[in-house]
Amino acid sequence: MNTAGIIGHTRQLNILKLLRAGGVVPSAMLFSGRSGIGKKLVARRLLASLFCGAGDPPCMTCSSCVQIAGGTFPDMIELLPDEKGTIPIGGADRNETGTVRWFIDRLSKKSVSGTYGVLIDGAENISIGGQNALLKTIEEPQEGAHIIIITANRSLILPTILSRCMDLSFNPLSVDE
């Protein structure tokens, strides 16, 4: 896995490189640690590597990598906090983009490439009800789906979700880094 431009997190990157090289990237992972230390960058790089056909993916130049960087790749789904800083569960209308129910519905559809790359950033901003709604999807994701949950506060994530994810803790960068 190409990690050019990523500073620090050597242990975490080595673990991810081994998983990627062995073809055993878990279907659900939790990246936890302080905000702003690079968890999302690492998650995006790992997910991009699943779609890139280069020798040391992601190459950052092929059409898949360019689309992922531009946010237009059809099989890359990001669930992010809204303008209020929350990720709402959503109503019965599953067309409310950016809600938990929209995400569950979107992930239930067949992917274009046979793989889904999923990034849920700010998972601590999902209500208990929303996290419970996500649980089934995390337990039994669509075949080929790789879900990375990012949180700055691990204690606000339901224990049932934590138990179903490979946990990778990120520490602040050192002064030298």
Side-chain angles (χ1 to χ4, degrees):
M1 185 175 91
N2 179 352
T3 59
I6 298 177
I7 299 169
H9 310 303
T10 305
R11 182 184 68 81
Q12 294 84 351
L13 291 171
N14 285 338
I15 290 168
L16 295 174
K17 283 180 182 180
L18 288 172
L19 291 171
R20 176 71 177 91
V24 290
V25 177
S27 60
M29 301 176 77
L30 177 78
F31 288 10
S32 60
R34 285 189 191 162
S35 293
I37 60 172
K39 300 179 303 290
K40 190 187 313 185
L41 174 63
V42 172
R44 282 185 175 149
R45 192 69 63 90
L46 173 63
L47 292 173
S49 77
L50 300 175
F51 298 104
C52 178
D56 186 21
C59 68
M60 313 308 279
T61 58
C62 70
S63 66
S64 295
C65 288
V66 170
Q67 286 179 354
I68 289 169
T72 60
F73 192 74
D75 293 337
M76 181 78 162
I77 304 170
E78 291 194 18
L79 188 59
L80 308 168
D82 61 15
E83 62 279 349
K84 296 177 189 173
T86 63
I87 300 175
I89 189 171
D93 178 15
R94 294 175 184 238
N95 292 328
E96 296 177 78
T97 303
T99 66
V100 171
R101 288 196 171 118
W102 164 84
F103 164 75
I104 292 168
D105 184 59
R106 173 78 167 75
L107 196 59
S108 70
K109 294 175 173 56
K110 187 165 176 60
S111 65
V112 174
S113 67
T115 300
Y116 268 121
V118 178
L119 179 68
I120 302 174
D121 189 15
E124 68 274 12
N125 299 308
I126 303 173
S127 68
I128 298 297
Q131 288 186 44
N132 277 319
L134 277 176
L135 188 57
K136 177 91 169 145
T137 302
I138 292 169
E139 287 176 328
E140 299 172 18
Q142 177 156 333
E143 187 175 337
H146 298 280
I147 302 170
I148 299 179
I149 300 168
I150 299 175
T151 184
N153 192 342
R154 193 177 183 284
S155 67
L156 295 177
I157 306 298
L158 289 176
T160 49
I161 290 178
L162 295 175
S163 69
R164 286 154 177 85
C165 295
M166 179 187 146
D167 190 1
L168 201 55
S169 296
F170 286 72
N171 300 315
L173 299 176
S174 68
V175 174
D176 293 338
E177 293 170 331

